[in-house]
Every structure is written in C-alpha cells, then in structure tokens.
Amino acid sequence: DANRFLGNYETAIKLYEKAGVLGTDFHDEIEGIAYCYEKMGEKELAYNKLMDLAQMLRDDGYDEDALIYEQMADAIK
C-alpha cells in the first residue's frame, strides 16, 4: 500500500500481484490494483479488475460486498 500512496503505481501493481499469489483475505490485492489502474488513467482495466473482484466475492458468498464493488466499477465508467 505504501507504494500506492506514494504514487508508485507500477511498483504497487507488481507487489499486489505477488501478494495475490501468496493469498489475501477477500482478494484485497485486486482492489489495490484497480485503484492503481484508475489513478494511471487506465479506466477500463480498473473497471475490469473491480468486476472480477465482485465476481470472486459473489462466488465466495459475499453478495453485499460484491454489489459495492460493482457500484465502484460503474462509477469509473
């Protein structure tokens, strides 16, 4: 998260991807990656990541959380 807050988005994405391989609660790394993409102006990539996250959460039984990320994704468009 420190790299994200410092604006080092490409480094942050790489580290989030490594965290994802290790495993995170509720797929937190995907939200971080989406945030970085959005800040980098890559709105379509950010949208897709958030929708992926929403589906993962829905698959895990977290429908209300999934809805929040779908709404976040829609706000990016």
Side-chain angles (χ1 to χ4, degrees):
D1 286 340
N3 279 292
R4 183 182 80 183
F5 292 124
L6 293 171
N8 301 326
Y9 301 122
E10 291 180 15
T11 300
I13 289 170
K14 289 177 186 175
L15 293 172
Y16 282 129
E17 288 171 345
K18 285 182 181 181
V21 170
L22 297 173
T24 60
D25 295 337
F26 302 106
H27 314 288
D28 296 328
E29 76 282 359
I30 297 173
E31 181 180 3
I33 292 170
Y35 179 86
C36 291
Y37 281 144
E38 183 179 6
K39 290 296 186 181
M40 294 168 65
E42 299 287 345
K43 291 186 178 191
E44 185 174 344
L45 290 173
Y47 173 85
N48 290 336
K49 281 292 182 186
L50 289 173
M51 292 303 287
D52 289 345
L53 176 56
Q55 187 59 52
M56 288 176 189
L57 290 170
R58 185 163 276 115
D59 291 346
D60 291 342
Y62 298 101
D63 293 337
E64 292 178 20
D65 294 306
L67 181 59
I68 291 168
Y69 287 104
E70 288 170 346
Q71 291 170 345
M72 288 172 64
D74 288 339
I76 290 174
K77 275 192 159 179

